[in-house]
Amino acid sequence: MPDTTELPTEAHLLALASLPQMGPARLSALVEAVSPAEAWHELCRGAVPGGGVRELLGAPGAAVVAAWARRASELDVGELWRHHLEAGVEVCGVSSPAYPEPFRGEEHPPPLVVLRGDRRVLDGPRVAVVGTRDCTRYGRDVAFELGRDLAAAGVRVVSGLALGIDGAAHTGALEARAAPPVAVVGSGLDVVYPRRNHSLWRAVADAGLLISEHPLGTSPAAWHFPARNRLIAALADIVVVVESHARGGALHTATEAAQRGRPVMAVPGSVRAHASEGTNRLFDEGAHVCLGAGDVLALLGLDTPARRRGEDPRPVPEPADARVLEQIGWEPVALEQLVLRTGLELGSLVLALDRLEAAGWVARRAGWFERVAHDGR
C-alpha cells in the first residue's frame, strides 16, 4: 500500500467517499470515530473503526466492509487527490477554511463538499426555488420569473439543476446578469445529470457556484437526491416550491427547510393541476403564499426592486382568437377539450391555435396546449 502520510485530510476524505455504498451518514460516523487517514488505513485491512459505523451498516455489514477493502486496495489516494487538484475544484472537509459557512451550523454537517466556482457567492441572501421536473408551462414561466427577479434584487438563487422548475429558475437567474446562482447536485461535478442541462451547468459554474458532496466521476444514484435536498435546504434562507406533485423531491426539500426553522413558500396552482397538488397542500402545513418575487423579498426583509415592465410586444389577438386563448386558461389542455370548450369546428380551432402559437401566446407540447405569460423583457 503506498505511503499516504504526507497527503492532506481532504485527500483521505475523498478516498473514503469514493468507496461503494459510502453515504454521508457512514462517512460522518467513520471520521467521528478516528481521523480520515486512520479510517482509511483501517478499512484497507478490512477493519471498521467505531461502533457507530457497525450500527449503520446493519446486517449486510460484512459484505459492505469487504467491498470497501477490495476497492481500497485498488485506489491510489495520491492519484485521486492530484486528479481533483488538476480539475480545478476545491475539496473541503468541515475543518477546511473554504468549507461553506452555512453548512457549519448543521446538526450533521456534510463531512466532504466539492466546489466549482467562487465560494464567496454564498455571502448574501439565498433563496431556493425548487419544484417538479414534470412541470407545466405555467410553472416553468413562474420559476423563470422568480429566478430572474430575485437575482436582479441581489438574491442568490439556489436549486438542484434538474429539468423543469430547477432549470427554469437558474435560467432566469442567469438572465438577470446580477446575483450569482448556486447549485447543489447529486453527482460528481464532472458528471452532468441530466445531460440536457450541460450548457446550464457550465453557465452556473462560470457565473456562480456548483456544490457536490461526491468525488469527481461519481454517477447519480437515487439516494443521492434526498441527500442533496437537505443541502439545498441548509443553504436557503427561504425555500420556494413552485410546482410539486403529491410526492416529490421538492416537498422533501420543504420538509428539510421546516425542520431547520426556515420559511417555506409555495406558488398557488389550479386545484385541477396534478403538478400543483403537493404545492397547494403545503398551505395546510403553514407555507407562505408566493405570488412573485416581491412576496419573497418582503419575507426576506428586502425592498422590492423596480421591475422591468415593458409593454407586451406580442400582437393583440383578433377577438375570435382571444376567445380561444381565454378558454385555454393557464393549465395544459388537449385539443379535444378545446373543441368542447370553444364550440368551434376542428379546422377553425386549429387555425386559431396556429396563429396564437406563431404570435407567442400559446405553446404546444406533446399534443397539449398551454398559455404563455409575458415575462416583462
Side-chain angles (χ1 to χ4, degrees):
M1 183 173 60
D3 181 17
T4 63
T5 55
E6 300 301 318
L7 291 172
T9 296
E10 290 78 11
H12 289 99
L13 279 171
L14 273 176
L16 291 168
S18 299
L19 299 179
Q21 302 181 58
M22 180 66 78
R26 291 173 175 176
L27 181 56
S28 292
L30 279 172
V31 298
E32 286 169 5
V34 294
S35 73
E38 291 172 310
W40 178 254
H41 290 299
E42 287 290 295
L43 294 181
C44 281
R45 63 184 188 87
V48 181
V53 182
R54 296 187 185 89
E55 291 179 11
L56 282 174
L57 293 177
V64 174
V65 173
W68 285 350
R70 286 194 300 272
R71 175 63 181 135
S73 67
E74 302 166 353
L75 195 150
D76 185 325
V77 182
E79 181 58 34
L80 180 68
W81 176 243
R82 285 189 293 274
H83 173 56
H84 282 70
L85 291 180
E86 291 168 0
V89 298
E90 201 161 17
V91 181
C92 311
V94 179
S95 60
S96 305
Y99 190 81
E101 285 299 323
F103 294 154
R104 293 191 191 276
E106 286 287 282
E107 182 178 356
H108 301 290
L112 171 77
V113 289
V114 184
L115 312 175
R116 185 185 296 278
D118 186 354
R119 56 186 167 83
R120 294 172 297 179
V121 307
L122 295 175
D123 298 336
R126 300 175 300 274
V127 170
V129 180
V130 296
T132 178
R133 294 168 172 80
D134 187 20
C135 65
T136 66
R137 180 59 184 256
Y138 160 78
R140 191 179 299 110
D141 286 348
V142 170
F144 177 92
E145 292 164 12
L146 280 171
R148 180 197 62 201
D149 295 347
L150 289 171
V155 175
R156 283 72 173 146
V157 174
V158 182
S159 206
L161 271 180
L163 296 174
I165 297 300
D166 289 31
H170 271 142
T171 301
L174 290 165
E175 173 77 12
R177 299 180 183 274
V182 179
V184 186
V185 300
S187 60
L189 294 181
D190 58 341
V191 180
V192 177
Y193 179 82
R195 292 186 179 181
R196 277 188 283 169
N197 274 356
H198 186 274
S199 296
L200 187 59
W201 275 55
R202 177 170 295 182
V204 170
D206 290 343
L209 180 66
L210 294 181
I211 302 175
S212 174
E213 54 185 334
H214 305 287
L216 295 177
T218 303
S219 298
W223 65 267
H224 290 177
F225 296 99
R228 175 203 65 181
N229 293 342
R230 88 191 193 286
L231 298 187
I232 292 176
L235 286 174
D237 298 313
I238 294 174
V239 168
V240 182
V241 183
V242 177
E243 280 187 333
S244 174
H245 294 264
R247 293 187 173 186
L251 297 183
H252 180 259
T253 306
T255 299
E256 291 283 346
Q259 290 173 349
R260 290 163 173 77
R262 312 281 167 77
V264 174
M265 306 186 77
V267 174
S270 169
V271 295
R272 294 186 176 90
H274 292 299
S276 291
E277 187 175 350
T279 318
N280 289 340
R281 293 198 181 280
L282 284 174
F283 296 121
D284 291 336
E285 301 171 14
H288 300 264
V289 175
C290 174
L291 302 180
D295 293 331
V296 184
L297 296 172
L299 195 56
L300 279 171
L302 300 175
D303 292 330
T304 303
R307 295 183 62 188
R308 298 171 289 176
R309 293 187 180 273
E311 291 187 2
D312 196 325
R314 296 175 293 186
V316 176
E318 294 296 324
D321 291 353
R323 287 191 288 274
V324 172
L325 185 62
E326 183 179 349
Q327 292 303 318
I328 293 175
W330 293 100
E331 299 297 336
V333 60
L335 184 61
E336 294 80 2
Q337 293 173 289
L338 281 175
V339 170
L340 295 174
R341 290 184 188 180
T342 62
L344 294 173
E345 293 182 357
L346 181 60
S348 298
L349 177 59
V350 168
L351 289 174
L353 289 169
D354 287 343
R355 289 191 295 268
L356 289 169
E357 184 178 17
W361 289 99
V362 167
R364 188 188 318 238
R365 184 178 68 165
W368 293 75
F369 295 88
E370 295 182 78
R371 190 167 179 169
V372 178
H374 170 48
D375 63 16
R377 286 179 288 178

